[in-house]
Amino acid sequence: MPSASSSSSSSSSSSASGSGRPVPSGLWRDADFRSLWAGQTASQLGEHASLVILPLIAVLTLEADAGRLGVLRAVGQTPVLLFSLLVGAWVDRWRTRTVMALSDLGRALALGSVAAAGLLGVLGLPVLLVVAFAVGTLSVFFDVAYQTSLVRLVKRDQLVRGNSALEGSRSAAQTGGPALGGLLVSLLSAPVAAASGALFFALSFLSIRRIRRHEPVPRHPGRSPRVRLRIHEGLRFVVGHPVLRTVGLASAAFQFSFAAMTTVQLLFLTRELHLSGTAVGLALAATGPGALLGSLLAARLPGRFGHGAVLVSAAVLGYGVLLCVPALHGPAAVTVPALLAVNFVFGAFGQLVNVTVMAVRQAITPDGMQGRVAATINFAGMGPAPVGSLLGGCLAQEWTLRTALLVTAAGMMLSPVLMALSPLARLGRALPAPQDVPSRTGGGMPMPRT
């Protein structure tokens, strides 16, 4: 992967160490980057385990139907819609490691309360709903801070390599998290399964607290603008930038359909294909090795074939393979290997899209806007997810599970269509330069140099 343009590189000095100590050319020789990587890995393990643990507890332990499962998933996703923009405005003025550490401490306590409720015999759907909302809220804080932290820790020409390393660890979490969650729910008990997620979040808290480098929080001249104005700046920047606007729209189309499909898929795997919790976890975990491959490809392919071409083709291949799932029939000996293959392909190309999009977004965005842009795109992308989860539950009740799964999987293909019709598809091999932020009293948004 070639370095970013010279103007991008020169503007990245504020992203290096605030103490004046340059980041080592080898990221793995940097103790602070290793602490960030280890904490993020543990956090992702806890998150991916809990994303399987809570729904499986609802389906297998509490015998929740499709409607209640859709409500549970929607409640966990609603905080993205409610809090993303506010969190983005705040994170731009806070130290990201403090936000990440406190968020994971809170998530550990929330999942620990599920374990306590199970041991006391009072675990029910209301408890899961409260915990899902709390974990979802804290996840908004962690995700926005996490996407901002790397920009403040490394140079801009290290963003692709840094994102590749971090996303590679996320792929490992995608392997271990669902498999661990499904195994614990099936073989042990709901309290033990919930406690495993809490343990990973606690480990993340301890690791992130070890980061010692002074973190440069962007300074703003004059009096600090109100939160509402800072949110408006972030929205205006994203909406006025054709590449970032497309990223938001394509993410919204994908996440809406993916949320609906996932709700139907959990029911399809357990009730139509009659898979156990362990088999479900194993099938979903196959995205992890695929995502690891995708992270490695993301460090090479965009620089060789162009960021736009890689994004569109990877999205078509990665999302399109899920159309094969509704056609599966037969015993577990047949369906589980097929699901492993499908999820491996989805993980590889989906991760290639994720890493490439994140590098493009971070390169385009000025340092002082990173939190708000990340939050705005998260808001646009994940905001429709609760509605998608509810829709998935409704479709699963009104239609056959195969039909509902086919329709929701087909909806994901709108995302690569939006990318193919936009300037995002025309991005070349070099990352675009950061775009200036327009004045709040100024005129229109200047055209980006893409």
Side-chain angles (χ1 to χ4, degrees):
M1 181 75 189
S3 300
S5 63
S6 58
S7 60
S8 176
S9 299
S10 63
S11 66
S12 65
S13 58
S14 62
S15 298
S17 169
S19 64
R21 177 168 58 92
V23 179
S25 57
L27 289 176
W28 294 112
R29 294 198 296 270
D30 186 345
D32 289 326
F33 178 80
R34 292 198 304 270
S35 295
L36 172 64
W37 172 82
Q40 185 258 2
T41 301
S43 182
Q44 291 293 331
L45 275 170
E47 180 174 349
H48 285 285
S50 64
L51 287 176
V52 173
I53 289 171
L54 295 181
L56 283 181
I57 289 176
V59 172
L60 300 177
T61 303
L62 304 180
E63 298 182 348
D65 58 18
R68 291 180 179 178
L69 179 60
V71 170
L72 175 63
R73 287 180 48 78
V75 166
Q77 295 161 341
T78 298
V80 176
L81 185 62
L82 297 179
F83 305 126
S84 287
L85 298 179
L86 284 173
V87 171
W90 291 331
V91 166
D92 272 336
R93 294 174 178 273
W94 292 349
R95 288 182 172 83
T96 56
R97 70 168 176 265
T98 301
V99 177
M100 290 187 290
L102 293 180
S103 297
D104 274 349
L105 178 61
R107 288 195 284 188
L109 294 175
L111 286 178
S113 69
V114 175
L119 293 173
L120 295 174
V122 296
L123 180 60
L125 189 61
V127 173
L128 291 184
L129 291 173
V130 172
V131 170
F133 185 82
V135 170
T137 300
L138 294 168
S139 295
V140 173
F141 280 88
F142 185 92
D143 290 344
V144 173
Y146 152 63
Q147 294 181 49
T148 306
S149 64
L150 186 65
V151 182
R152 297 183 185 177
L153 192 65
V154 306
K155 299 177 181 179
R156 283 188 182 272
D157 59 4
Q158 294 176 310
L159 285 176
V160 172
R161 283 174 288 168
N163 277 312
S164 179
L166 293 173
E167 291 298 314
S169 69
R170 188 165 76 94
S171 70
Q174 287 177 322
T175 301
L180 177 63
L183 182 66
L184 290 174
V185 172
S186 295
L187 300 182
L188 300 175
S189 64
V192 174
S196 68
L199 175 62
F200 286 116
F201 288 130
L203 292 174
S204 174
F205 167 77
L206 295 174
S207 180
I208 291 173
R209 279 179 55 87
R210 295 180 59 193
I211 299 176
R212 291 291 178 254
R213 180 176 297 137
H214 174 71
E215 179 180 336
V217 179
R219 297 182 178 273
H220 298 261
R223 185 178 178 180
S224 174
R226 296 179 179 177
V227 170
R228 179 179 60 83
L229 293 178
R230 297 204 301 272
I231 291 174
H232 181 263
E233 283 182 343
L235 286 169
R236 185 184 178 196
F237 184 75
V238 171
V239 171
H241 197 297
V243 171
L244 295 177
R245 182 172 64 244
T246 300
V247 170
L249 291 174
S251 178
F254 170 79
Q255 294 294 349
F256 175 82
S257 299
F258 184 70
M261 188 213 68
T262 303
T263 301
V264 179
Q265 186 181 43
L266 285 171
L267 296 166
F268 177 79
L269 297 181
T270 55
R271 296 179 181 175
E272 187 76 20
L273 299 184
H274 306 291
L275 299 181
S276 66
T278 302
V280 171
L282 178 63
L284 297 178
T287 59
L292 178 59
L293 175 61
S295 296
L296 297 175
L297 294 176
R300 298 178 179 273
L301 295 186
R304 182 174 181 181
F305 299 106
H307 289 76
V310 167
L311 280 172
V312 175
S313 58
V316 170
L317 294 171
Y319 306 160
V321 73
L322 294 175
L323 292 169
C324 299
V325 177
L328 295 179
H329 292 81
V334 174
T335 57
V336 170
L339 287 169
L340 290 172
V342 167
N343 285 322
F344 180 85
V345 174
F346 171 69
F349 290 105
Q351 186 77 328
L352 180 54
V353 172
N354 291 339
V355 176
T356 306
V357 162
M358 187 174 293
V360 169
R361 177 186 62 74
Q362 290 171 337
I364 289 175
T365 306
D367 291 344
M369 293 284 291
Q370 289 287 342
R372 280 169 286 176
V373 169
T376 299
I377 291 178
N378 284 352
F379 173 81
M382 295 300 298
V387 181
S389 293
L390 292 174
L391 176 64
C394 292
L395 293 179
Q397 286 183 318
E398 298 297 327
W399 298 349
T400 67
L401 290 176
R402 291 187 187 278
T403 302
L405 189 58
L406 178 62
V407 170
T408 53
M412 295 169 60
M413 299 305 296
L414 178 60
S415 179
V417 170
L418 290 172
M419 288 192 283
L421 298 176
S422 76
L424 186 62
R426 299 191 293 273
L427 290 178
R429 290 180 292 178
L431 284 170
Q435 173 65 52
D436 294 332
V437 182
S439 170
R440 290 193 300 274
T441 60
M445 175 74 66
M447 291 299 295
R449 294 167 297 198
T450 59

